[in-house]
Amino acid sequence: MICQNCNKNEANMHMKRIINGRAAEVHLCSDCARSLGYGEAFSGFGLGLGELFGELLGKTDGAASGAYCPGCGKYFDEIVSDGKMGCAECYGVFYDKLLPSLRRIHGKATYVGSKPALQNGVSLEEKVEELKNKLSDAIAEQNFELAAQLRDEIIAITNKGGEN
C-alpha cells in the first residue's frame, strides 16, 4: 500500500482513528509519519523488555560495577540495562544481586515447581529414594523376589505420580 501523504513510498504505519464514532484509517510511510508527528504516537505506552528488567533489578549509576561474569564477561549493569543474562553462569555470579528481584517478581527465590503431594508426611521423592535404598539392599542380599517388587513399586510411583 502506498503512503496516503506523499503517494510515493510504501506505507509501513497504519493507524485507525475514531473521531465522533467514525473510523478513519491512515496509511503513512515512516518519513511522513515522523513529519506529521505520528512517530511518537506510541511512546510512553510501556517499557521495553530491557527497561522492564532494569526497573525490576534496580537502576544503577551507569558505571560498570566491579563484578562481572567470567563465563561471558558481562557486567551486572549491562544485565540491568538490557534485561538479558549473558550466559547461565551469570545466575550464580550475580545471585546476591538478583535475589531481591527474584523475590519481588516470584514471591520466592527458590524454584519449587510442581511437586507431587505428600503421602503420610513423606514426599514421593523421599519415598522413591527409600525404595531405591531397599532395592540395593535386596539385590546385595540376592533377594530377587523382593527386588522385583521394589522395582515395580518405584516404577509405579514415578510413572503415575504416586498413584498405586
Side-chain angles (χ1 to χ4, degrees):
M1 178 173 285
I2 302 295
C3 173
Q4 291 176 331
N5 189 52
C6 67
N7 293 319
K8 296 177 188 172
N9 300 325
E10 184 72 24
N12 53 15
M13 182 173 183
H14 309 280
M15 289 185 55
K16 184 181 275 191
R17 296 183 295 177
I18 300 175
I19 301 171
N20 295 329
R22 298 186 69 145
E25 289 189 43
V26 179
H27 307 281
L28 302 169
C29 66
S30 58
D31 293 334
C32 290
R34 200 174 307 110
S35 68
L36 293 172
Y38 288 112
E40 300 295 320
F42 298 108
S43 66
F45 273 101
L47 298 172
L49 186 61
E51 291 173 353
L52 174 66
F53 283 117
E55 292 295 323
L56 292 173
L57 294 173
K59 294 281 186 190
T60 59
D61 60 3
S65 64
Y68 69 95
C69 176
C72 64
K74 198 163 190 178
Y75 287 90
F76 183 72
D77 293 344
E78 293 175 289
I79 293 170
V80 169
S81 66
D82 67 11
K84 298 176 187 173
M85 296 290 178
C87 67
E89 200 172 325
C90 288
Y91 289 98
V93 173
F94 301 120
Y95 179 78
D96 292 338
K97 293 181 180 186
L98 293 170
L99 190 60
S101 299
L102 291 171
R103 283 193 178 124
R104 198 169 45 241
I105 295 166
H106 299 290
K108 297 179 183 172
T110 56
Y111 177 74
V112 291
S114 56
K115 290 185 177 179
L118 296 177
Q119 290 183 341
N120 300 327
V122 178
S123 74
L124 294 178
E125 294 166 344
E126 293 170 333
K127 177 74 173 168
V128 168
E129 191 62 35
E130 178 186 332
L131 289 171
K132 285 181 179 180
N133 290 336
K134 287 182 181 179
L135 176 62
S136 295
D137 293 342
I139 291 171
E141 296 170 4
Q142 295 187 357
N143 187 347
F144 299 116
E145 187 174 321
L146 176 60
Q149 290 173 349
L150 292 168
R151 178 204 61 210
D152 293 344
E153 193 172 343
I154 292 169
I155 291 170
I157 290 172
T158 56
N159 286 347
K160 299 178 185 174
E163 298 174 17
N164 291 332

